[in-house]
Amino acid sequence: MNSLPGYDPGQKPSRLLLRIVPGHVAVNPSDRLQLLSPSPLGRQDTHRLTYPDQAQGKCSNNGSHQCGGPWLKYRGHLQNISQNCLIGAINAENGEANKVKNQITGEWDGVPQTAAYYRDNGIKWVVIGDHNYGEGSSREHAALEPRYLGGLAIITRSFARIHETNLKKQGMLALTFANPEDYDKIKPSDKVDILGLESFAPGKNLTLKIKHENGSSEEISLAHTFNEGQIAWFKAGSALNLMAAKAKGQ
């Protein structure tokens, strides 16, 4: 049998990090491998949200897997690799990378730390993105990370196609401004509601209600490309959740 190109049959295998027994997978303690828990179900009611980052310019999430990069070893450990989430995105508020304001405490911190604070305090959050969000991000981790950190939606002027689909598979709302200029209406201190999820359907826009710090509010239209199957992913919490439910006959 011919070996695969690039594979040396004499090479010693890596240390085994997991053991598979009937009905159970046991993982040896490691900072490189972590069992995943199912994502929470997608809620269909109105969401009250805040957001940790308004990204400016084209946004690539590809840095987590650069060849030989420091984050590559964590690709099997979601908690650890999520510390890389959006750390290279430029914050529109201050022109800096990985420095966002926690709208609850008023403190400045990194994106992963701020997002984790919101998650741990029961606050859903969104990312406001610019053009071609997710450029170069064909890997699942770029969508898994914000989901793990409690994100609900990525709202952008436009998406890179593969990353948009990956977000949907992870139960994230991938939404675009119906009017791209509406990106400029959102300010760092705003709170937002996503309206219309109770009747979420293909081809039917959702509404973003923006609540400004001065007490005023306005509504803008959000477009999406979800089909019926992808909406089912969102309601189940992820595509994998839906597959598991079907396998159990639910």
Side-chain angles (χ1 to χ4, degrees):
M1 176 178 174
N2 295 330
S3 60
L4 296 174
Y7 171 69
D8 179 2
Q11 185 179 8
K12 293 182 178 180
S14 301
R15 181 172 63 90
L16 186 65
L17 294 177
L18 58 82
R19 304 183 304 279
I20 302 177
V21 296
H24 182 67
V25 178
V27 177
N28 292 337
S30 170
D31 64 352
R32 299 179 64 175
L33 192 64
Q34 178 187 39
L35 288 175
L36 297 180
S37 300
S39 298
L41 298 180
R43 292 172 51 191
Q44 299 176 52
D45 56 348
T46 298
H47 293 266
R48 181 160 186 159
L49 311 164
T50 186
Y51 59 93
D53 198 2
Q54 184 172 8
Q56 186 176 48
K58 289 187 177 181
C59 183
S60 172
N61 307 101
N62 203 33
S64 58
H65 292 92
Q66 292 174 345
C67 294
W71 298 98
L72 182 61
K73 63 182 178 181
Y74 297 129
R75 64 184 305 173
H77 197 293
L78 185 55
Q79 180 178 348
N80 285 343
I81 203 169
S82 291
Q83 300 310 302
N84 181 51
C85 183
L86 291 170
I87 62 175
I90 300 301
N91 184 359
E93 182 176 9
N94 56 17
E96 298 184 42
N98 200 32
K99 187 176 181 180
V100 296
K101 187 176 182 179
N102 185 316
Q103 299 297 327
I104 307 303
T105 67
E107 297 177 355
W108 292 84
D109 207 340
V111 174
Q113 292 73 32
T114 305
Y117 176 93
Y118 291 152
R119 177 198 62 194
D120 296 344
N121 285 274
I123 303 168
K124 292 292 184 181
W125 54 267
V126 305
V127 169
I128 307 300
D130 211 330
H131 290 290
N132 206 31
Y133 182 94
E135 177 184 15
S137 305
S138 61
R139 299 171 181 87
E140 294 285 349
H141 296 76
L144 276 165
E145 292 172 21
R147 186 70 165 99
Y148 174 78
L149 289 170
L152 173 74
I154 310 292
I155 304 170
T156 72
R157 295 188 202 248
S158 64
F159 280 104
R161 178 181 55 83
I162 295 177
H163 183 62
E164 180 183 15
T165 301
N166 286 346
L167 287 169
K168 295 175 183 179
K169 286 191 289 185
Q170 298 307 329
M172 295 281 291
L173 288 169
L175 308 171
T176 56
F177 296 105
N179 177 7
E181 300 307 313
D182 285 342
Y183 167 93
D184 295 314
K185 294 182 178 180
I186 303 176
K187 307 303 178 187
S189 59
D190 291 341
K191 298 267 191 314
V192 298
D193 296 336
I194 296 178
L195 309 178
L197 289 173
E198 69 283 351
S199 57
F200 194 16
K204 182 179 180 181
N205 285 6
L206 299 172
T207 298
L208 187 72
K209 184 173 183 178
I210 309 167
K211 300 178 180 180
H212 300 299
E213 190 174 24
N214 63 8
S216 65
S217 64
E218 58 185 311
E219 295 185 357
I220 61 176
S221 182
L222 299 177
H224 65 85
T225 60
F226 280 80
N227 57 36
E228 290 285 2
Q230 293 166 343
I231 290 173
W233 295 346
F234 168 72
K235 292 179 178 179
S238 70
L240 194 58
N241 281 4
L242 184 61
M243 291 173 61
K246 288 182 176 180
K248 294 177 181 178
Q250 298 177 358

